[in-house]
């Protein structure tokens, strides 16, 4: 008897999810995809779908039945979910933050032995700069953005902080008290030299005003569902002990169009970076510059466009424009309760940076920074015996004076 070869046909009840492909391409103008290649996207699930709204007038008739319905609007929306991996969702994070990522890293390292030497000093509550702290360097920082968010690490002077700056000639001006400890004790004295090896790194992305919409394409079966005019209205990152870190993108689209042809034949491949984890990949969290006393159990980061909406006119059912609303950042934390350190800071009105860091086994990842946050709704619930108390709180993000709310640094 010959061996069995080949495969069985007709076994599937319908199209299989494994064959589904999602790609996207930025639009040059609303609902018009730009030229070039689309990007293939890694995902775990999606719910994009078209919706129609209808209306039926209350016509009076002898049979007491509802009248004919007419279509009054069309739209599409849904979510795309995935496991967090390096650089996979940068386009979509940039879309909700309405800003471009830096094309190249912007950083400065102090080195007094270099040629030419790169040196600097700190000035606390400088009279010459309206009482603000100042970081002065011999290096030319004129090419840096006029304002931004930096990560400063100076091991010798005990500094590891995130701060918003305003560029000045020869340096960066920081809010008064940035270089002080939480109890007001100066970490450095006025005029202290910046130590060799100190790194000053600019965030790779901060919230801004670069607005982006996308044409998203879902291939299913022999045709393509195309979602033009797609805006990322919210991105939520969820971290939980024992679970894979996830990202959910909520998307508002102008419509869904069924097509037998793709938007473009050229498609960039999916990223191949490692999926991050919450064991070796959890790189820590800080509240106002200090790690909480107990281990983190869960955390969320929610970036959204508050007040976004579509504009629809007569003559067509779908949107003719979109309003991006205002950028909003929020989050939550749960960690093992040991003491009231964080709660007492909140009670005394302390605000400042809150950070969460995550990476993969290859060492690549992100530091997410709420630059001017406070904690709200602090809870320490006792839910039963033989359990460890977990502190719960919400992260309320506010813009720093003069603007900027949230930033991301790559690891």
């Amino acid at each position: 008897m010959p061996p069995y070869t080949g495969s069985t046909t007709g076994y599937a009840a319908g199209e299989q999810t494994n064959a589904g492909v999602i790609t996207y391409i930025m639009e040059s103008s609303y609902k018009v995809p730009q030229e070039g290649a689309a990007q293939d996207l890694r995902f775990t699930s999606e719910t994009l779908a078209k919706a129609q709204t209808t209306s039926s007038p209350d016509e009076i008739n002898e049979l007491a039945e509802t009248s004919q319905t007419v279509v009054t609007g069309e739209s599409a929306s849904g979510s795309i979910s995935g496991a967090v991996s390096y650089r996979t969702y940068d386009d979509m994070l940039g879309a909700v933050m309405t800003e471009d990522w830096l094309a190249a890293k912007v950083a400065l390292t102090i080195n007094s032995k270099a040629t030419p030497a790169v040196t600097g000093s700190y000035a606390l509550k400088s009279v010459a700069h309206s009482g603000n702290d100042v970081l002065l360097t011999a290096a030319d920082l004129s090419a840096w953005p006029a304002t931004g968010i930096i990560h400063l690490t100076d091991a010798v002077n005990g500094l590891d902080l995130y701060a918003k700056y305003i560029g000045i000639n020869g340096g960066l001006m920081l809010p008064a008290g940035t270089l002080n400890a939480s109890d007001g004790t100066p970490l450095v004295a006025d005029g202290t030299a910046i130590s060799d090896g100190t790194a000053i790194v600019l965030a790779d992305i901060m919230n801004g005003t670069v607005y982006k919409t996308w044409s998203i394409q879902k291939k299913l079966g022999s045709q393509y569902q195309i979602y033009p005019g797609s805006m990322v209205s919210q991105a939520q990152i969820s971290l939980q002990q024992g679970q894979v870190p996830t990202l959910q993108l909520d998307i508002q689209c102008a419509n869904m169009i069924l097509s037998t042809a793709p938007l473009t034949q050229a498609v960039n491949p999916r990223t191949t970076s490692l999926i991050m984890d919450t064991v070796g990949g959890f790189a820590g969290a800080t509240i106002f510059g200090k790690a909480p006393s107990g281990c983190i159990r869960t955390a969320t980061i929610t970036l959204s466009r508050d007040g976004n909406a579509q504009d629809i006119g007569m003559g067509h059912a779908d949107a003719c424009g979109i309003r991006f609303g205002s950028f909003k950042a929020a989050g939550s934390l749960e960690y093992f309760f040991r003491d009231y350190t964080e709660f007492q800071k909140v009670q005394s009105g302390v605000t400042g940076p809150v950070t969460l860091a995550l990476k993969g086994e290859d060492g690549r990842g992100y530091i997410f920074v709420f630059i001017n946050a406070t904690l709200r709704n602090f809870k320490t619930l006792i839910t039963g015996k033989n359990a460890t108390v977990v502190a719960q709180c919400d992260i309320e993000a506010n813009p720093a004076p003069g603007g900027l709310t949230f930033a991301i640094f790559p690891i």
Side-chain angles (χ1 to χ4, degrees), residues 102-153:
L102 292 180
K105 182 178 180 180
V106 176
L108 174 68
T109 300
I110 299 298
N111 185 353
S112 61
K113 300 177 179 61
T115 305
V118 180
T119 59
S121 64
Y122 301 112
L124 277 72
K125 299 182 179 180
S126 168
V127 175
H129 295 93
S130 305
N132 290 292
D133 293 355
V134 176
L135 187 159
L136 300 170
T137 70
D140 182 11
L141 301 180
S142 60
W144 286 41
T147 185
I149 295 172
I150 58 168
H151 183 198
L152 169 66
T153 52

Side-chain angles (χ1 to χ4, degrees), residues 31-121:
K31 299 193 288 188
V32 180
Q34 65 184 22
E35 299 292 331
Q39 175 63 53
D40 196 357
L41 184 65
R42 296 162 68 174
F43 68 103
T44 56
S45 65
E46 61 83 25
T47 62
L48 293 174
K50 181 176 181 176
Q52 291 183 319
T53 56
T54 61
S55 180
S56 175
D58 291 330
E59 288 186 325
I60 299 171
N61 56 71
E62 295 177 349
L63 295 178
E65 60 188 2
T66 58
S67 302
Q68 170 198 343
T69 60
V70 294
V71 175
T72 56
E74 291 182 347
S75 64
S77 62
S79 63
I80 300 175
S81 300
V84 180
S85 55
Y86 189 68
R87 295 302 189 194
T88 298
Y89 302 103
D90 282 10
D91 286 334
M92 298 305 170
L93 290 172
V96 75
M97 293 177 67
T98 57
E99 189 55 276
D100 286 326
W101 291 75
L102 292 180
K105 182 178 180 180
V106 176
L108 174 68
T109 300
I110 299 298
N111 185 353
S112 61
K113 300 177 179 61
T115 305
V118 180
T119 59
S121 64

Side-chain angles (χ1 to χ4, degrees), residues 208-277:
T209 55
V210 179
Y211 301 109
K212 306 170 188 285
T213 61
W214 311 88
S215 286
I216 298 175
Q217 176 179 268
K218 177 169 69 174
K219 184 183 186 302
L220 194 60
S222 61
Q223 298 196 50
Y224 300 84
Q225 297 176 28
I226 296 173
Y227 296 85
S230 298
M231 179 196 70
V232 182
S233 60
Q234 180 172 286
Q236 184 172 72
I237 299 169
S238 300
L239 312 178
Q240 183 173 348
Q241 185 274 327
Q243 303 291 328
V244 173
T246 61
L247 173 70
Q248 177 175 305
L249 303 167
D250 293 339
I251 298 172
Q252 300 292 328
C253 317
N255 206 338
M256 187 276 280
I257 301 166
L258 200 58
S259 174
T260 57
L263 290 171
T264 176
Q265 295 292 341
V267 178
N268 294 324
R270 300 177 181 182
T271 62
T272 57
S273 50
L274 298 178
I275 292 173
M276 299 181 190
D277 66 80

